[in-house]
Each structure stands twice: as structure tokens, then as C-alpha cells.
Amino acid sequence: MSEAVAGAVAERFTQLYGSEPEGVWAAPGRVNLIGEHTDYNDGFVMPFALPHTAVAAVSRREDGVLRLHSADIGADVVELRVADLAPQSDRSWTAYPSGVVWALREAGHEVTGADVHLASTVPSGAGLSSSAALEVVIALALNDLFSLGLRGWQLARLCQRAENVYVGAPVGIMDQTAAACCEAGHALFLDTRDLSQRQIPFDLAAEGMRLLVVDTQVKHSHSEGEYGKRRAGCEKGAALLGVDALRDVPYADLDAALERLGDEEEVRRLVRHVVTEDERVERVVALLESGDTRAIGPVLVEGHASLRDDFRISCPELDLVVDTALASGALGARMTGGGFGGSAIVLAEESDVPAITKSVEEAFAAAGFTAPRVFEAVPSAGARRVR
Ligand code: GAF
């Protein structure tokens, strides 16, 4: 994110509120390389940050007032009282920033109000975590301005609480941790049980490869029922198997576990996805750490098949991206994020990128789908102060 963008956001803040902001912060969207729907099962994930960010210009207030404005919504400034913030009382975009204020205060942090102006380049509804970027940028700004001393993973936990309780979306911890903790040039290997992390160098350009994001333009939302149903099904599976979370089912014991689930066909499929997906994350980490980057391609493809056939959260557009990219020479491809629309990722040799992009665009046109948005994803920095 450039100095010019930070300057423009600060300038708009000054026009809106009549004084300069105390600072400007940025938090990125993410793509998940592998490890899907494992985070609320205490499992492994491996996201990296996009260059696209939510940017917030913020000043402290001490009078209990929270004023919010977004360049992307273009409406008037919304004025709220921090003492009145209540879970699930707000169905608009302001629930994300005000939910973070609520979560900080509920955790005992003295946040006495703020003026906020936001602008984001993270595509919304594209499975690229625009909501988490919004939450984390606010959390980081308030952490700095009110000297709360919280670490990235602590901010991520509070943001997840804001989204679960205040917004009412039963998401896991991956997206908030990615926004808060990712580092440029790396993918984040995260154990969602204890939030222990390892930064894995992930510089595809240096090896002559590229990772494309294909936004299918099919919008999705986690507050809608299907995400929650999958989560409930996983929790049922863990309960039937007598474990705290599906993370505790060893890959080596999967067949026996599935047998014990008897005729619970749907739960069996969900369990099989989660247990095999955790194993795929570990395989990808091992391949990247041994320098065998191209070999992760088939693992991504396995992950997509599992999400499509066992977890059943793909859609025709996502499947078309994956099938077309692979037929045009991609090393690997899969849907990324929560599913039911959103984006797919494609791992490819640099020289194959134009042909793959063209094939995907032509396949979408031939199928009568809305044209996809294709861009290259370079692993970028996590949340930070930019001014
Ligand atoms: C969404 C959720 F917000 C994440 O917590 C995660 O569960 C993901 O879907 C699926 O891996 O992005």
C-alpha cells in the first residue's frame, strides 16, 4: 500500500471530522493456500496476505462516541455510543468495526470512543476476508492509540469474538490471524488450537511460478446458514467420536473412525474432509520446506476434490476454474476460503499464466457466467501502522 493511499485516506478523514487523524493503519485480505474448514476443528491452516488492504485513519475520543465512515459505502458518518453497543443489534457494515470496539471493551480494555474513516481494496464477498481485514485494522489502531499492548494473535482472538458474537457469523480464527500475523514473502503455517505459528518462505516468482486468484464474482456470506451447518456437522462428528475436536482424529485412524460413524453418511463426509485436509496442510508444509514447491500442485487439487465431493461447498463456477486451469497446464488449483462462491487459486508456471487466464475467461463466457476477475497474488505484509 502506497504512501499516496495513506495520505488520501488521512485527507478524507480531515475533511469529515475537521482535524487530522492521529494515525493510519492497514490490514490485508488473504488467500488460503491449503487448510480449509479446519480452523473451527482446531486444525491446521496456511494462509498468506494479499497486497489488498483495509486502511483506517483513526483518532481517539474520550467522550464515549464512536463515529464511523467508509469510502466504500459512501453514506453519511454513523455515530454510535460505545456504551450502547450490543451483539447482533446492527446488520450493516458498521457491525464489523463497532463489534471490535465492543469486544475490546467486553474484555476489559478501556476504549472510550474514536473517529474512524475506512477505505478498502479487498474485494468483498470474494472469499478473500474483507471482513477480517476491517476488524483487524480497527483492532490494531485502537491497540496503538489506547496503548493496550495486545499482540497480533490476541487481537485476532478479539476480532473473531466480535464476528462470532457481535456480528453473529460462526467463523473460525484463520482470517483474523492471517490479517494480523502474516509476513511478506511467507505463508503462515498456523495451528488453530494454540495459535502457534511458523512463517514458511513462499516466493513463487523466484522459482518461475505464479499464484493466480480467480474471483468468480459469485458472492457468499458466512452469516448465511450453510457455513454454520458444516460447522455443526463437524462438532457432531467430534462428539460421536468422543474427541474434543476433529483435529484429534489421527489421519492413520481415519478408516476406523469412519467405520465407527456407521450410517451417519453426512458426518462421515465432513470428518473425512477435515482429517484429510489437516494431513494435506502438513504435506504442503513439508514440501515447501524441502524446496519441492511444484509438488504442492496435486495436493491443492486433492483439497479441491475433498471440498467439492465431501464437504460439498464448491459451486459450478469454482469447479470450472479448477478444471479449466488444470486442462490448460496449471500445476494445481482449488477453491479458497469459505466456499459457495468466492475465489479459486491457481498455481502455474509463469509462462503458462496468459494461456490459463485466457482459457478460464473463455470458459466462463461459454458457460454464460459473469466474467471472472483474475489477478496475481503476491504474499504480502500483515497488519501495520502506515502513518
Ligand atoms: C471462512 C472463515 F471465516 C474461516 O474461519 C474459515 O473457516 C474459512 O472460511 C474456511 O477455511 O473464511
Side-chain angles (χ1 to χ4, degrees):
M1 203 222 29
S2 69
E3 176 53 31
V5 172
V9 174
E11 202 176 307
R12 183 74 180 113
F13 178 102
T14 309
Q15 284 167 3
L16 286 164
Y17 299 117
S19 61
E20 285 188 13
E22 287 182 78
V24 181
W25 291 260
R30 62 98 190 92
V31 291
N32 189 19
L33 187 59
I34 189 82
E36 220 65 87
H37 288 266
T38 47
D39 60 351
Y40 52 80
N41 291 298
D42 277 4
F44 304 122
V45 295
M46 209 181 175
F48 66 84
L50 289 169
H52 308 67
T53 54
V55 180
V58 186
S59 286
R60 248 171 317 176
R61 294 180 69 104
E62 276 157 21
D63 60 357
V65 171
L66 175 64
R67 294 197 291 181
L68 301 168
H69 184 265
S70 162
D72 312 309
I73 310 295
D76 294 340
V77 170
V78 175
E79 186 166 324
L80 303 160
R81 296 203 59 80
V82 294
D84 295 342
L85 299 177
Q88 308 207 27
S89 58
D90 182 354
R91 296 277 159 222
S92 73
W93 72 272
T94 54
Y96 295 97
S98 50
V100 171
V101 174
W102 170 84
L104 284 164
R105 286 170 56 83
E106 198 221 21
H109 302 293
E110 208 175 320
V111 175
T112 52
D115 285 337
V116 176
H117 169 61
L118 284 153
S120 179
T121 55
V122 186
S124 76
L128 302 173
S129 290
S130 57
S131 326
L134 212 56
E135 292 156 6
V136 169
V137 77
I138 295 296
L140 184 65
L142 298 174
N143 186 46
D144 286 357
L145 290 174
F146 289 94
S147 305
L148 305 179
L150 298 168
R151 314 261 309 265
W153 63 269
Q154 292 172 302
L155 295 177
R157 281 258 189 253
L158 285 164
C159 290
Q160 184 199 18
R161 183 155 174 77
E163 191 153 346
N164 288 168
V165 181
Y166 195 92
V167 176
V171 297
I173 189 72
M174 168 170 70
D175 301 346
Q176 292 78 6
T177 314
C181 302
C182 278
E183 290 180 9
H186 293 79
L188 176 72
F189 175 36
L190 176 70
D191 180 338
T192 63
R193 171 159 274 168
D194 61 6
L195 297 193
S196 58
Q197 352 188 318
R198 202 151 89 223
Q199 299 287 345
I200 310 288
F202 191 57
D203 181 0
L204 293 173
E207 297 184 61
M209 283 173 283
R210 294 287 187 266
L211 195 128
L212 301 177
V213 174
V214 183
D215 174 4
T216 63
Q217 310 275 5
V218 179
K219 301 290 176 201
H220 75 114
S221 163
H222 301 322
S223 344
E224 287 161 16
E226 291 301 321
Y227 183 97
K229 278 191 207 154
R230 299 303 186 284
R231 182 169 181 157
C234 289
E235 282 160 6
K236 181 174 176 189
L240 289 171
L241 292 169
V243 292
D244 285 345
L246 293 183
R247 147 73 174 276
D248 298 312
V249 179
Y251 179 68
D253 297 348
L254 178 59
D255 288 346
L258 294 177
E259 196 138 310
R260 279 169 53 210
L261 289 169
D263 57 7
E264 289 279 357
E265 180 46 34
E266 190 186 336
V267 176
R268 282 161 59 103
R269 283 192 283 99
L270 299 178
V271 169
R272 185 162 54 212
H273 167 72
V274 173
V275 175
T276 58
E277 185 79 350
D278 272 336
E279 188 274 338
R280 281 186 283 275
V281 178
E282 294 190 284
R283 231 185 315 151
V284 165
V285 171
L287 288 167
L288 291 179
E289 290 192 326
S290 66
D292 201 357
T293 308
R294 283 176 173 77
I296 72 171
V299 191
L300 304 186
V301 180
E302 274 176 43
H304 184 76
S306 181
L307 289 162
R308 183 192 60 211
D309 302 336
D310 273 347
F311 224 66
R312 303 203 177 160
I313 58 168
S314 188
C315 65
E317 290 83 350
L318 288 166
D319 293 342
L320 187 62
V321 176
V322 171
D323 294 344
T324 309
L326 293 174
S328 315
L331 297 161
R334 68 174 202 89
M335 53 155 285
T336 188
F340 311 106
S343 299
I345 54 174
V346 175
L347 178 71
E349 301 292 352
E350 183 184 352
S351 53
D352 291 337
V353 165
I356 292 171
T357 306
K358 189 162 173 272
S359 308
V360 170
E361 287 168 349
E362 286 174 356
F364 266 56
F369 295 156
T370 302
R373 185 169 162 249
V374 186
F375 61 92
E376 189 192 328
V378 179
S380 301
R384 66 237 181 238
R385 186 171 190 154
V386 292
R387 224 172 203 235

mmCIF file of all heavy atoms in Angstrom, residues 236-254:
data_model
loop_
_atom_site.group_PDB
_atom_site.id
_atom_site.type_symbol
_atom_site.label_atom_id
_atom_site.label_comp_id
_atom_site.label_asym_id
_atom_site.label_seq_id
_atom_site.Cartn_x
_atom_site.Cartn_y
_atom_site.Cartn_z
ATOM 1 N N LYS A 236 -20.690 -32.374 15.619
ATOM 2 C CA LYS A 236 -21.407 -33.633 15.880
ATOM 3 C C LYS A 236 -20.455 -34.821 15.689
ATOM 4 O O LYS A 236 -20.437 -35.757 16.488
ATOM 5 C CB LYS A 236 -22.605 -33.743 14.927
ATOM 6 C CG LYS A 236 -23.420 -34.986 15.120
ATOM 7 C CD LYS A 236 -24.665 -34.967 14.242
ATOM 8 C CE LYS A 236 -25.432 -36.278 14.386
ATOM 9 N NZ LYS A 236 -26.524 -36.386 13.399
ATOM 10 N N GLY A 237 -19.643 -34.754 14.624
ATOM 11 C CA GLY A 237 -18.681 -35.825 14.357
ATOM 12 C C GLY A 237 -17.708 -35.992 15.519
ATOM 13 O O GLY A 237 -17.434 -37.119 15.962
ATOM 14 N N ALA A 238 -17.198 -34.862 16.021
ATOM 15 C CA ALA A 238 -16.254 -34.934 17.143
ATOM 16 C C ALA A 238 -16.931 -35.557 18.359
ATOM 17 O O ALA A 238 -16.347 -36.418 19.036
ATOM 18 C CB ALA A 238 -15.727 -33.533 17.461
ATOM 19 N N ALA A 239 -18.188 -35.150 18.616
ATOM 20 C CA ALA A 239 -18.906 -35.680 19.781
ATOM 21 C C ALA A 239 -19.123 -37.191 19.620
ATOM 22 O O ALA A 239 -18.890 -37.967 20.560
ATOM 23 C CB ALA A 239 -20.239 -34.953 19.940
ATOM 24 N N LEU A 240 -19.544 -37.618 18.421
ATOM 25 C CA LEU A 240 -19.786 -39.056 18.206
ATOM 26 C C LEU A 240 -18.504 -39.869 18.362
ATOM 27 O O LEU A 240 -18.534 -41.011 18.806
ATOM 28 C CB LEU A 240 -20.366 -39.283 16.804
ATOM 29 C CG LEU A 240 -21.816 -38.818 16.587
ATOM 30 C CD1 LEU A 240 -22.192 -38.899 15.106
ATOM 31 C CD2 LEU A 240 -22.774 -39.678 17.418
ATOM 32 N N LEU A 241 -17.382 -39.246 18.006
ATOM 33 C CA LEU A 241 -16.101 -39.970 18.099
ATOM 34 C C LEU A 241 -15.447 -39.799 19.465
ATOM 35 O O LEU A 241 -14.379 -40.354 19.730
ATOM 36 C CB LEU A 241 -15.151 -39.480 16.994
ATOM 37 C CG LEU A 241 -15.580 -39.849 15.567
ATOM 38 C CD1 LEU A 241 -14.750 -39.094 14.537
ATOM 39 C CD2 LEU A 241 -15.484 -41.357 15.350
ATOM 40 N N GLY A 242 -16.056 -38.984 20.329
ATOM 41 C CA GLY A 242 -15.538 -38.819 21.687
ATOM 42 C C GLY A 242 -14.237 -38.028 21.755
ATOM 43 O O GLY A 242 -13.394 -38.277 22.621
ATOM 44 N N VAL A 243 -14.055 -37.065 20.845
ATOM 45 C CA VAL A 243 -12.849 -36.223 20.878
ATOM 46 C C VAL A 243 -13.278 -34.758 21.048
ATOM 47 O O VAL A 243 -14.412 -34.400 20.765
ATOM 48 C CB VAL A 243 -11.991 -36.360 19.590
ATOM 49 C CG1 VAL A 243 -11.363 -37.737 19.503
ATOM 50 C CG2 VAL A 243 -12.814 -36.063 18.335
ATOM 51 N N ASP A 244 -12.342 -33.929 21.523
ATOM 52 C CA ASP A 244 -12.661 -32.509 21.715
ATOM 53 C C ASP A 244 -12.951 -31.839 20.379
ATOM 54 O O ASP A 244 -13.826 -30.992 20.259
ATOM 55 C CB ASP A 244 -11.479 -31.769 22.358
ATOM 56 C CG ASP A 244 -11.373 -32.105 23.832
ATOM 57 O OD1 ASP A 244 -12.360 -32.651 24.375
ATOM 58 O OD2 ASP A 244 -10.307 -31.832 24.420
ATOM 59 N N ALA A 245 -12.151 -32.171 19.367
ATOM 60 C CA ALA A 245 -12.286 -31.564 18.046
ATOM 61 C C ALA A 245 -11.761 -32.562 17.024
ATOM 62 O O ALA A 245 -10.967 -33.461 17.372
ATOM 63 C CB ALA A 245 -11.474 -30.269 17.975
ATOM 64 N N LEU A 246 -12.171 -32.400 15.749
ATOM 65 C CA LEU A 246 -11.753 -33.386 14.735
ATOM 66 C C LEU A 246 -10.241 -33.417 14.548
ATOM 67 O O LEU A 246 -9.685 -34.398 14.059
ATOM 68 C CB LEU A 246 -12.467 -33.112 13.414
ATOM 69 C CG LEU A 246 -13.981 -33.360 13.451
ATOM 70 C CD1 LEU A 246 -14.588 -33.120 12.071
ATOM 71 C CD2 LEU A 246 -14.296 -34.773 13.934
ATOM 72 N N ARG A 247 -9.573 -32.363 14.939
ATOM 73 C CA ARG A 247 -8.109 -32.354 14.954
ATOM 74 C C ARG A 247 -7.543 -33.572 15.696
ATOM 75 O O ARG A 247 -6.439 -34.030 15.406
ATOM 76 C CB ARG A 247 -7.676 -31.044 15.629
ATOM 77 C CG ARG A 247 -6.407 -31.049 16.445
ATOM 78 C CD ARG A 247 -5.213 -31.119 15.517
ATOM 79 N NE ARG A 247 -3.965 -30.999 16.239
ATOM 80 C CZ ARG A 247 -3.408 -29.865 16.595
ATOM 81 N NH1 ARG A 247 -4.007 -28.724 16.372
ATOM 82 N NH2 ARG A 247 -2.238 -29.856 17.193
ATOM 83 N N ASP A 248 -8.303 -34.068 16.651
ATOM 84 C CA ASP A 248 -7.798 -35.155 17.491
ATOM 85 C C ASP A 248 -7.974 -36.532 16.865
ATOM 86 O O ASP A 248 -7.601 -37.538 17.480
ATOM 87 C CB ASP A 248 -8.497 -35.109 18.856
ATOM 88 C CG ASP A 248 -8.200 -33.800 19.573
ATOM 89 O OD1 ASP A 248 -7.024 -33.416 19.642
ATOM 90 O OD2 ASP A 248 -9.156 -33.149 20.044
ATOM 91 N N VAL A 249 -8.557 -36.585 15.666
ATOM 92 C CA VAL A 249 -8.655 -37.887 14.974
ATOM 93 C C VAL A 249 -7.393 -38.049 14.131
ATOM 94 O O VAL A 249 -7.212 -37.341 13.132
ATOM 95 C CB VAL A 249 -9.903 -37.933 14.053
ATOM 96 C CG1 VAL A 249 -9.968 -39.273 13.327
ATOM 97 C CG2 VAL A 249 -11.175 -37.665 14.849
ATOM 98 N N PRO A 250 -6.480 -38.966 14.491
ATOM 99 C CA PRO A 250 -5.248 -39.107 13.707
ATOM 100 C C PRO A 250 -5.567 -39.602 12.298
ATOM 101 O O PRO A 250 -6.460 -40.433 12.111
ATOM 102 C CB PRO A 250 -4.442 -40.153 14.471
ATOM 103 C CG PRO A 250 -5.083 -40.244 15.817
ATOM 104 C CD PRO A 250 -6.520 -39.875 15.635
ATOM 105 N N TYR A 251 -4.826 -39.084 11.330
ATOM 106 C CA TYR A 251 -5.021 -39.486 9.934
ATOM 107 C C TYR A 251 -4.910 -41.011 9.804
ATOM 108 O O TYR A 251 -5.688 -41.640 9.079
ATOM 109 C CB TYR A 251 -3.966 -38.777 9.078
ATOM 110 C CG TYR A 251 -4.025 -39.105 7.618
ATOM 111 C CD1 TYR A 251 -5.097 -38.700 6.837
ATOM 112 C CD2 TYR A 251 -2.994 -39.830 7.013
ATOM 113 C CE1 TYR A 251 -5.147 -39.012 5.479
ATOM 114 C CE2 TYR A 251 -3.045 -40.134 5.661
ATOM 115 C CZ TYR A 251 -4.129 -39.726 4.902
ATOM 116 O OH TYR A 251 -4.173 -40.026 3.569
ATOM 117 N N ALA A 252 -3.979 -41.599 10.539
ATOM 118 C CA ALA A 252 -3.763 -43.052 10.446
ATOM 119 C C ALA A 252 -4.985 -43.834 10.933
ATOM 120 O O ALA A 252 -5.173 -44.994 10.550
ATOM 121 C CB ALA A 252 -2.534 -43.436 11.261
ATOM 122 N N ASP A 253 -5.821 -43.193 11.762
ATOM 123 C CA ASP A 253 -7.001 -43.892 12.316
ATOM 124 C C ASP A 253 -8.290 -43.519 11.582
ATOM 125 O O ASP A 253 -9.388 -43.829 12.051
ATOM 126 C CB ASP A 253 -7.190 -43.527 13.801
ATOM 127 C CG ASP A 253 -6.026 -43.976 14.651
ATOM 128 O OD1 ASP A 253 -5.194 -44.758 14.149
ATOM 129 O OD2 ASP A 253 -5.928 -43.518 15.811
ATOM 130 N N LEU A 254 -8.165 -42.818 10.460
ATOM 131 C CA LEU A 254 -9.366 -42.287 9.803
ATOM 132 C C LEU A 254 -10.363 -43.381 9.431
ATOM 133 O O LEU A 254 -11.561 -43.258 9.696
ATOM 134 C CB LEU A 254 -8.963 -41.469 8.556
ATOM 135 C CG LEU A 254 -10.125 -40.907 7.745
ATOM 136 C CD1 LEU A 254 -11.002 -39.984 8.585
ATOM 137 C CD2 LEU A 254 -9.603 -40.139 6.521
#
